[in-house]
Amino acid sequence: QVQLVESGGGLVQPGGSLALSCAASGSIFSINTWGWYRQAPGKQRELVATRTTGGGTNYADSVKGRFTISRDNAKNTVTLQMNSLKPEDTAVYYCNARRLHPTEYDYWGQGTLVTVSP
């Protein structure tokens, strides 16, 4: 059992920056990959960024060079630093934790809304 709680969403102007935080608790030792996903109105949920326990990262092409995912193991938090924000970044952002053993399973946070508008 893993619990995820996101925070940091809000309203920001185009070109601005925002940092999202995900606080994790529970059986964190079982997690292989941490990530951020987002879902805009009328669209499917899409991957934004992932980070493995080994430190490897992967980013969607649309955010590469602008967003950074990081993890603080001591604080049990995962952060998504978002820079040079665009209106198309507007979405509900979800924290994700994926375990592989004993079975593959995804844990999700409640989501936090990010609105990019002048």
Side-chain angles (χ1 to χ4, degrees):
Q1 185 74 31
V2 174
Q3 296 80 42
L4 306 173
V5 180
E6 302 101 329
S7 62
L11 175 65
V12 63
Q13 63 182 340
S17 298
L18 201 64
L20 305 182
S21 181
C22 175
S25 61
S27 302
I28 300 172
F29 63 88
S30 69
I31 301 302
N32 176 258
T33 303
W34 303 87
W36 286 94
Y37 292 72
R38 68 186 181 187
Q39 186 168 23
K43 302 189 70 176
Q44 290 229 321
R45 183 179 60 197
E46 64 176 353
L47 182 148
V48 177
T50 61
R51 182 182 179 89
T52 68
T53 54
T57 58
N58 183 54
Y59 296 91
D61 289 341
S62 60
V63 307
K64 197 168 187 177
R66 299 188 298 120
F67 291 10
T68 302
I69 185 172
S70 61
R71 170 161 167 75
D72 187 327
N73 291 327
K75 295 182 179 180
N76 292 323
T77 58
V78 181
T79 297
L80 183 68
Q81 178 64 51
M82 305 183 293
N83 300 322
S84 302
L85 283 162
K86 306 174 181 179
E88 49 263 45
D89 293 320
T90 296
V92 176
Y93 285 70
Y94 297 92
C95 183
N96 168 263
R98 178 170 296 168
R99 79 175 190 193
L100 298 181
H101 306 289
T103 57
E104 185 171 330
Y105 188 86
D106 283 331
Y107 298 92
W108 297 95
Q110 81 285 359
T112 185
L113 177 63
V114 173
T115 302
V116 184
S117 175

